[in-house]
Amino acid sequence: MGSSPLITLDNVSRSYQSEGAEVTALKGVSLTIHKGEFVAIMGQSGSGKSTLMNILGCLDKPTAGTYRIHGRSVAELNDNQLAALRLKTFGFVFQRYQLLSTLTAQQNVALPAIYSNTSEAERNTNAARLLGKLGLADRILHRPGELSGGQQQRVSVARALINGAEVILADEPTGALDSASGEQLLALLTSLHREGVTIILITHDPAVAEHAQRQVKLLDGEIVEDTGVHPGEPFLVERDSPVVAEFPSISTGAALSMAFSSLRLNWFRTLLTLLGIIIGVAAVVTMMAIGEGGKQDVLKRIEAIGTNLISIRPGGGNIRSSGDIASLTLDDANALEQIDGALYVAPERSSRATIRYTDNDFSGRITGTTPAYFYAKDWEMSQGVFFTNDDVTSYAPVVVIGDTVAETLFEDKYRAVGEYILMKNAFYQVIGVLKSKGANAGGSDMDDEVLIPITTGRLKVFGRPYLSSITIKAASTEAATAIQAQALAILTERHGKEDVMVRTTDSLVEAVTETQNTLTWLLASVAGISLFVGGIGVMNIMLVNVSERKREIGLRMATGAKPGDILKQFNIEAWVVCVLGGFVGILLGYAVIFAISQFSISVAYTWLPPVLAFFTSLVVGVLFGFAPAHKAARLNPIDALAEE
Ligand code: ADP
Ligand code: MG
């Protein structure tokens, strides 16, 4: 097999469908360009020059005819192979330079080398070397806005050369330059040609075309003149296989650093995007901490009561216990004392009343009970004694009060014992004051007890003989379950029907846990919705981002980025936003938790909510970042580059 020319166009046509009508920009163009040639393609505006260049540079495909590079038909190549050709074989120089204004000259030149997986250090060295060669050594850190048109165009030539292009495709490269800079650029192209680079120069200006060795003239999409190969020009050795090997995707490191620099450049927009995720994640973390804190708080209170207590209340099944249900009696309580392992059986009945000492009043709950109550609750006395079983059987008019009650009624609470207080037209002697238990976790006072013998209470305060509850203290937490069953059996037999509820704190714990868990998940899902809304915000901003950066995307693709590279870059940008937002959100969540814990609201610091929130935000990034990234990867580079 002999060597094939670098470029062979065989009867190539390109037509556009525009508003229903068909416009044919190229009509059966046949052209052969050898390696090492310097060809000018001339023609008036609209003659099809740019269309031809886009086809030559593999940004566009012919609608008819064949285009071969080193003998290989371009029609057979897939997107990634075409990207490899743009990356390694061709270098574009555009009329309007197409530099990225946010990058320095060096970064602009180095850009295409990202897609050939050159290391950052090597990219920068090569870019600096090329810029130095083109006379811009002292301009490498300048941004395009700080450079003249001629300098910018030289930067774009350097960019075209960074991956060692065989062919430079320059579309009206002097079109935007003054004549002196134009001459300089043409001299540069001529010297590159001498070094062996194939140059295809597109221009409408015959004076510019003179710099080339060969002129090809287009008119209405057809070649009307071709000066042919320059006589005496030795062809360079041509290879048979072009570089169409697909390149691996850009490294994640490169994509990450591109993501960070683009997020930094648009920091305000980034911040707004982050805010959605931050608030969502912080809300999830805070809500779950509050829910969990509430649960642990209630559980702690139950624990404080004791896990070996069994409480019996009237009612059961479908009977509600709120009314005065006449089922539990003092005899029931006595009957329950026979149960093995029941340490104390404390009957209880309470009602509200006002007690008075001289001019001082105390209104609150009056509880009638037996000494068992005192032992069951593990209470202690600070003064005096608790009433005895004898007091109970003799209907003694005695009272034991809590610390708060003593403070309310007496000038000096230490002189309470022995005094007489008045309640419902009867006098009671204070025989003891309970040791202060302080406020419980919920903030309510636990020292407001007023206790009298159940018998005395039944006679003088409550009016009716029924109990509001019976509390049994089991010898151990393990014994509680067995006692619960026995108590229910005894009472059911005594009453002839099941009309009481027997509960251990275990079942209470279960019920509380269940309701609190439901509450926690409810709060979390409300917060989750805000995270979802944050995700939609990310998608929205990323879509705007893609529309705004069309030109950049087009340029990246023209210089060799594969659609997969663009997809990766934009996906990673979305992930970075969400991961950053998730991280800051967790910190903010903890700050909020800490702040509210200062207002004696119970919160729990657990590992689950932050982990959950973080992964949710990551998933949000993956889900909502995909559509914008996909849109970016599918952009047509020609349209994208035309964007101003
Ligand atoms: P030149 O670069 O020589 O000025 P072009 O190659 O840009 O010419 O355009 C050649 C012809 O094709 C023109 O008539 C132009 O209107 C038409 N054309 C170019 N691009 C498109 C397109 N995307 N859709 C429809 N018509 C187009
Ligand atoms: Mg043009």
Side-chain angles (χ1 to χ4, degrees), residues 49-50 171-172:
K49 305 185 296 294
S50 296
D171 190 355
E172 305 272 10

